[in-house]
Amino acid sequence: LGGEETGRAKHQIQTTICESCKQGWRDGAGAKLPLDAADVARAECDAQRIGSDREPGRAVQDVPPRVARFVHRRDGGRCRAPGCRSSRYLEIHHIVPRELGGGHEAENLVLLCDGHHRAVHEGTLALSGSATKLETHGGRDGVDTDARLALTTLGFRPNEARAAVAEARRRLAPASPLDDLVREALRRMA
């Protein structure tokens, strides 16, 4: 795993994602293992698309290798979460999620260790701003989880609910009550 950063993924793991429900699976040891929403979201941050589980395709990298190399150099090969000095198991993360219009520009990408990347996609750590002016917010209680649950109970897909709550959270004060968060998330979905 040593050597210079090439910008390409060090490993290829086939993940299959259902186009309609967005459930993900990983093939391992001859078994199809389910992935939770946070794992699917992490994989979607910087994937190399190789076709489907039925039809191989030409490998296409989401984040261009030159941009990935730039992000690794700019971030010093370390996790950007406050207080974290991890230089191993780093993953590229989109500050503004792709489903909300975020692109693969270097200013929208930061390095996070796998633990902090999971925390972002589980909703226990939030990032905002840009790569050069990164702001972090963490330690939220279960309000975001309750808001996502309320939206899925209303019939929205889990990935839609997650994105809407994340966008609503960015627009509201950190201590906003559940009903304000749900209302703002519904406005984002409209």
Side-chain angles (χ1 to χ4, degrees):
L1 294 178
E4 187 174 328
E5 180 56 47
T6 65
R8 295 200 186 274
K10 291 177 179 68
H11 305 282
Q12 284 187 342
I13 300 168
Q14 182 174 346
T15 300
T16 306
I17 301 172
C18 174
E19 300 227 0
S20 61
C21 72
K22 302 301 181 194
Q23 170 63 51
W25 295 272
R26 181 183 58 133
D27 293 330
K32 207 171 199 179
L33 307 169
L35 296 174
D36 65 16
D39 284 330
V40 171
R42 285 173 55 203
E44 288 288 330
C45 271
D46 183 24
Q48 186 180 63
R49 314 286 172 171
I50 59 170
S52 73
D53 57 344
R54 290 180 221 88
E55 180 76 30
R58 182 180 174 94
V60 178
Q61 189 96 4
D62 281 355
V63 176
R66 65 182 172 79
V67 175
R69 285 191 302 271
F70 175 84
V71 170
H72 276 268
R73 279 193 299 270
R74 182 200 62 211
D75 291 354
R78 296 208 177 272
C79 177
R80 292 282 306 275
C84 185
R85 300 193 32 82
S86 180
S87 61
R88 296 176 51 122
Y89 309 113
L90 299 174
E91 301 171 356
I92 290 180
H93 173 69
H94 291 75
I95 300 166
V96 176
R98 292 170 57 194
E99 63 265 17
L100 297 177
H104 301 308
E105 303 81 27
E107 265 306 290
N108 190 43
L109 303 172
V110 291
L111 287 180
L112 294 175
C113 67
D114 59 348
H116 283 114
H117 198 194
R118 172 173 273 288
V120 168
H121 287 292
E122 286 179 335
T124 58
L125 175 66
L127 302 178
S128 61
S130 65
T132 54
K133 294 182 181 172
L134 189 64
E135 297 176 30
T136 59
H137 321 276
R140 293 192 309 264
D141 56 15
V143 173
D144 289 18
T145 301
D146 292 344
R148 288 191 300 269
L149 179 60
L151 294 173
T152 55
T153 301
L154 290 171
F156 295 101
R157 293 184 189 150
N159 62 321
E160 293 172 326
R162 183 180 66 249
V165 169
E167 180 62 22
R169 177 58 71 194
R170 281 189 277 283
R171 296 176 179 274
L172 295 174
S176 297
L178 176 62
D179 55 343
D180 289 350
L181 186 59
V182 171
R183 275 192 215 98
E184 184 65 23
L186 286 168
R187 282 190 202 101
R188 300 293 119 222
M189 298 175 104

